[in-house]
């Protein structure tokens, strides 16, 4: 069954790549169908098999022989692994629906922020609506209201951090998408873990940032992927704020 979720994840991962690549450019995610960006060759079914097509084509377009980015199969593999982790973490439960929805949103966020340094509002809005509906039907109105309150608290805290950063660095320190993303974190993992995710993401981003800053003269780094990775770590670890506080007290 784990293999089935991995395969399902690679299929969705291929589609999420299309969404993340086209949506920020204002293009339809349906039309035109998948094609080579270099020669516009329309991909046939055998060229759309996640991971396997890349291997069989030796990383090149069948028509014009231009190289296909290794990032595509890598993102499909990662999505497959994350779908498999969702199943292993929650099994066949109602929580699995929320896990797959939350994970799917974060995959698109990571990809779009990587491609264009943009987190699309439409992605956050659509998936937030899905999550709100799922939380309501799975856990009830009281849980949903608490989740919405956590979303608001997370949003306000991230907004205050942005304003503080803007004041310190005398320029925009954080994108609006990161602030809205934090609200979705609060909706799913609670405002306490959302705050922890900020510190965890900074820890994860530090070594990567040091490398990127040496080669990027604009000193611009997409922060959404690091926030998303930290949220996934906290979510799948099933850790709660009390466990973290107890650990810190023992240090």
């Amino acid at each position: 069954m784990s293999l089935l979720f991995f395969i399902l994840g690679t299929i969705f991962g291929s589609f999420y790549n299309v969404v993340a690549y086209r949506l920020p450019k204002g293009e339809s995610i349906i039309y035109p169908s998948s094609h080579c960006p270099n020669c516009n060759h329309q991909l046939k079914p055998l060229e759309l098999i996640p991971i396997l097509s890349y291997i069989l084509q030796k990383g090149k377009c069948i028509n014009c022989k231009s190289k296909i980015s290794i990032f595509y199969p890598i993102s499909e593999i990662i999505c497959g692994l994350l779908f498999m982790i969702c199943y292993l973490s929650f099994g066949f439960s109602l929580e699995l629906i929320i896990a797959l929805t939350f994970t799917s949103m974060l995959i698109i966020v990571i990809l779009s922020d990587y491609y264009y340094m943009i987190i699309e509002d439409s992605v956050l809005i659509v998936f937030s609506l899905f999550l709100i509906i799922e939380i309501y039907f799975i856990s009830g109105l009281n849980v949903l209201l608490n989740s919405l309150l956590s979303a608001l608290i997370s949003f306000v805290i991230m907004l205050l951090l942005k304003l503080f950063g803007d004041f310190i660095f005398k320029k925009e320190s954080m994108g609006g998408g990161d602030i809205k993303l934090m609200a979705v974190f609060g909706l799913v993992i609670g405002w306490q873990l959302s705050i922890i995710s900020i510190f965890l993401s900074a820890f994860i981003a530090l070594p990567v940032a040091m490398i990127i800053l040496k080669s990027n003269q604009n000193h611009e780094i997409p922060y959404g992927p690091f926030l998303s990775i930290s949220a996934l770590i906290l979510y799948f670890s099933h850790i709660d704020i009390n466990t973290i506080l107890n650990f810190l007290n023992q240090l």
Side-chain angles (χ1 to χ4, degrees), residues 158 161-162 166 171-179 223 227:
M158 198 64 166
L161 285 176
K162 169 188 163 48
D166 292 350
K171 63 178 183 179
E172 187 174 62
S173 59
M174 191 183 304
D178 297 327
I179 303 172
Y223 196 48
L227 284 171

Side-chain angles (χ1 to χ4, degrees), residues 213-231:
L213 289 176
K214 289 183 178 179
S215 57
N216 187 348
Q217 295 181 351
N218 294 325
H219 291 183
E220 294 181 354
I221 301 173
Y223 196 48
F226 301 108
L227 284 171
S228 299
I229 292 170
S230 65

